[in-house]
Amino acid sequence: MIMKKILSIIFACVAMSSCVDTVILPDNKTVDEDFWQKKSEVDAVVAAAYAQLRDEVAIRNMIIWGDFRSDELVMTSTLPASAAYKTALAQIYSLNIETENTFTTWYPFYSAINYCNLVLQKAEGVIAVDPDYMRGDYEANKAQMLALRAFCYYYLMRVFHDIPVTPAAYLNSSDELNAPQLSPEEVLTMCINDLSEASKYAVSGSTYGDWRDKGYLNKDGINAILADIYLWRASVNRDASDYETCVEYCDKIISAKKEAYELRPRRRMAADAEKLDYYLSEYGDMYDDIFGQTGQNADESIFELQFRNSNVTNRGLDQMYYRYNNASANGYGYLKASSKFGSVDATGNGVWHNSVDQRLYEFVYDATSASVEQFGVRKFVATTSAGVNNTADSHRDTRSAVYQNWIFYRLTDVMLMKAEALVQLYNLGGKAEGDTRNEEAFEICKFINDRSLSDANKNSYAMKYSTYRDKMEELVLAERSRELCFEGKRWFDLMRYNYRHTTEKADLTKKLTEGYVANSDEFLDLALRKYAVPSAMKAKIRDERYLYMPINQDEVELNTSLVQNPVYKSSSKY
């Protein structure tokens, strides 16, 4: 392939603290003076920017950061001592993370950012030398790179809190790296500005009619990132205007998806069918459409990392959920679902409240089995649907490669973002009489929940607003846990929930060394419920600083401007 990282080139200055980590540098061909001459060359670098997030390190880390740190996942109990990441995972599970932990590395994200910066610096000049590369092509590329860069920075901010922002593309190992860390508020403002600029030039969500509509960031994808950012900032600041803006961006996506669906005939929508507010895959087709071997890039999807269409094995997902060292002989991955996500708790304290929710059987193996304490993750791994409420599902794939796309955003995620914002607006508004936002949020949750029930069960297990009226925040959070489990969402959902319930409001303008708040009891009760003795773990995650990962020790030594999260230590120093 034309685009690959320079892992084999040895730079004389790699050990110097002022030099760039060679892992994030672009391919040497892309910085050659003869390279930026053709449209195809620009397209190759754009593709390379996305490809950095397909790196197995990126996928592994996103699962660890977003799912394993939450109540969703536990370490597989039968992992052998020889498993490469067992010690690193044990640190995270025990809440004793060291700065050398392999899951603290952020290089795939900064490598993607560097490629984005490279396109933003170099691509416009190609207009003058290649008549096939026109202003419209450049603007579409610019929109994608601004958006992807903003997405990477936003993702990193949620994981590390204070992060460095690179001023331009790094082209050589001798480039000065010492970029200072910015506060979350500075990062979020920068991301919003870049995404707003990108939106001016972005194509619609149904421009190509193929995988590119989901594999490239378009208007829908940009709006989804913006909705996510405003929801995050609103949750920390408890700010009504940001919640309202989140709802506005969600509505843009919902409207665009609805219009795109109704303008083109679909196989499950007759010409005279009733028009709906949301078009989701139907009950029996959901898994195959979104996660199955023959599906992916479904109508309801918004932004997916393309493994299947790139013919690239998703090794990170394979390792975490399926086979810990990518070998066919392994029948399990590094991680399994905790008991809360594989069993039914009719009292309402668990994830699944009844045994007829189809997602339970689609998303974990051995669902509802009383003899199993850890449940294999089925979502993404299995190639086909489990079958309707199949409690005895024993289907195990024996594939030699996993080509499952990694989904960043899909319509139900956006719908539930909107529901979350509506509930908070209702609460912040003093629950005034005539305010229907709470009920609208309920209808969104019900619509998504109903998709996972057969027609008969919709009547038997119907969700009633009167039951949840005073617990709508918890309902939205629970519905997100059911719908989006194992997709890298849960920890960040819990963090937003925490920030809304801390006694003292957190301050996004402060770095972790400048101030922090104590975590809420409500958050701790949920986040720690996978542990046998949750109370014993509370002291290890008592305040906001522990919500964020440490910066990898190599990065701290490379970039002398970085300040480590103060609650973490290096094992090599003691």
Side-chain angles (χ1 to χ4, degrees), residues 22 184 190 198 234 308 405 428:
T22 57
M190 177 191 68
R308 179 180 167 197
N405 289 350
L428 290 170

Side-chain angles (χ1 to χ4, degrees), residues 261-262 264-275 279 282:
Y261 195 99
E262 292 179 348
R264 291 189 294 169
R266 304 290 174 169
R267 64 185 175 89
R268 290 185 296 278
M269 180 181 174
D272 59 348
E274 177 188 1
K275 291 188 176 182
Y279 292 103
E282 294 182 354

Side-chain angles (χ1 to χ4, degrees), residues 170-320:
Y170 293 121
L171 307 180
N172 304 293
S173 64
S174 58
D175 289 346
E176 189 71 26
L177 176 65
N178 294 332
Q181 288 162 286
L182 300 185
S183 70
E185 179 60 33
E186 292 172 301
V187 173
L188 292 176
T189 300
M190 177 191 68
C191 291
I192 289 170
N193 291 340
D194 279 355
L195 289 163
S196 298
E197 178 69 12
S199 187
K200 298 175 184 177
Y201 310 109
V203 299
S204 72
S206 55
T207 296
Y208 301 104
D210 58 26
W211 65 268
R212 291 172 292 179
D213 288 337
K214 311 297 187 297
Y216 289 161
L217 278 166
N218 51 42
K219 284 188 181 297
D220 289 346
I222 290 169
N223 288 337
I225 302 169
L226 281 164
D228 204 354
I229 288 174
Y230 277 105
L231 183 60
W232 181 273
R233 195 168 73 173
S235 298
V236 179
N237 291 338
R238 305 173 193 179
D239 180 75
S241 63
D242 274 354
Y243 280 125
E244 289 168 351
T245 305
C246 170
V247 171
E248 290 172 8
Y249 280 111
C250 290
D251 281 340
K252 288 181 180 181
I253 300 164
I254 292 166
S255 177
K257 283 289 187 183
K258 177 180 172 68
E259 181 180 5
Y261 195 99
E262 292 179 348
L263 284 176
R264 291 189 294 169
R266 304 290 174 169
R267 64 185 175 89
R268 290 185 296 278
M269 180 181 174
D272 59 348
E274 177 188 1
K275 291 188 176 182
L276 303 172
D277 291 329
Y278 318 100
Y279 292 103
L280 306 178
S281 296
E282 294 182 354
Y283 169 68
D285 302 302
M286 178 269 291
Y287 188 87
D288 287 335
D289 283 354
I290 302 172
F291 305 105
Q293 185 73 12
T294 59
Q296 304 181 69
N297 294 316
D299 285 340
E300 65 185 83
S301 184
I302 295 170
F303 180 34
E304 299 187 13
L305 279 180
Q306 301 296 307
F307 286 88
R308 179 180 167 197
N309 286 289
S310 301
N311 198 32
V312 176
T313 302
N314 192 340
R315 289 176 58 86
L317 185 148
D318 190 351
Q319 290 168 346
M320 293 295 105

Side-chain angles (χ1 to χ4, degrees), residues 71 304 520 543:
D71 56 338
E304 299 187 13
S520 70
D543 64 58

Side-chain angles (χ1 to χ4, degrees), residues 355-419:
S355 60
V356 295
D357 191 318
Q358 180 65 13
R359 294 170 295 188
L360 170 58
Y361 308 99
E362 302 287 20
F363 296 168
V364 298
Y365 285 113
D366 302 311
T368 73
S369 173
S371 61
V372 175
E373 293 183 3
Q374 297 181 326
F375 296 83
V377 175
R378 193 178 189 284
K379 181 187 271 189
F380 291 115
V381 171
T383 57
T384 59
S385 170
V388 177
N389 294 343
N390 186 0
T391 58
D393 177 36
S394 60
H395 176 64
R396 293 291 191 275
D397 292 285
T398 56
R399 290 166 292 157
S400 59
V402 175
Y403 296 107
Q404 295 294 309
N405 289 350
W406 181 253
I407 301 173
F408 282 125
Y409 292 106
R410 53 193 181 95
L411 183 55
T412 50
D413 184 4
V414 171
M415 291 164 65
L416 289 167
M417 284 190 216
K418 178 181 178 179

